[in-house]
Amino acid sequence: MRLGSAVLVLIVILFNPVTSFALESGVQIPDHNTLSRLENAPFKFGWVKFQYSWRDGSTQPIDTWAGRAKQAGYKVLVSVAKKPSSVPTGEAGYSQFQAFMQDLSSRLGTNADAYEIWNEPNLKDEWRDWGEINPQEYYDYPA
């Protein structure tokens, strides 16, 4: 676990205190076709994570992937990453991201149990279309 991930988890716990929780296992998979291979795995997962590229959103059938995973009994985490280069930085970009997420979440409905906003925001490569790593900008981003 990277330090940035640990800090993010700690922040989530501090702002969303729970009285009890069960630790569940999960796996990131590239598409819904991998689900059938999970059935024969020597261990069982409760969650599957699909990374959904904002940049390539129109070419990824996330609706199908999430729907099939839910039908197979998994909880679904959708990781949203990779800003299109045409989207500006700052407030205008935030507004476009908000509209994108509203559309995505209304399309997926109950087929998505959770969303991860921005894959690995502590790594420079994930900031390539936004500039330098900036914790304050990440904090402001999904607001």
Side-chain angles (χ1 to χ4, degrees):
M1 177 182 292
R2 294 180 180 88
L3 180 57
S5 299
V7 171
L8 183 58
V9 169
L10 179 59
I11 290 170
V12 170
I13 291 171
L14 289 175
F15 288 103
N16 296 303
V18 293
T19 55
S20 67
F21 67 93
L23 185 60
E24 297 181 45
S25 61
V27 62
Q28 180 171 334
I29 59 178
D31 56 44
H32 71 274
N33 294 318
T34 308
L35 289 172
S36 61
R37 288 183 280 191
L38 290 177
E39 293 173 7
N40 298 320
F43 38 84
K44 299 299 174 198
F45 296 101
W47 286 82
V48 293
K49 173 183 171 182
F50 296 109
Q51 189 168 96
Y52 188 59
S53 172
W54 181 18
R55 182 180 309 139
D56 304 325
S58 62
T59 63
Q60 292 180 289
I62 191 69
D63 309 72
T64 301
W65 298 353
R68 289 190 181 165
K70 289 300 281 189
Q71 287 175 351
Y74 293 100
K75 293 180 185 172
V76 175
L77 168 63
V78 177
S79 174
V80 179
K82 300 180 178 37
K83 176 185 88 63
S85 57
S86 61
V87 172
T89 58
E91 290 299 320
Y94 302 158
S95 296
Q96 288 184 34
F97 179 71
Q98 182 180 21
F100 171 80
M101 286 303 301
Q102 286 174 335
D103 176 65
L104 179 63
S105 62
S106 66
R107 278 182 22 223
L108 294 179
T110 59
N111 283 335
D113 295 289
Y115 293 91
E116 176 185 51
I117 307 301
W118 205 322
N119 180 56
E120 299 176 331
N122 58 321
L123 299 180
K124 185 175 183 169
D125 189 53
E126 296 295 331
W127 282 81
R128 103 179 109 183
D129 292 319
W130 288 103
E132 294 298 313
I133 294 175
N134 183 330
Q136 184 63 50
E137 189 168 345
Y138 176 75
Y139 176 80
D140 292 340
Y141 185 68

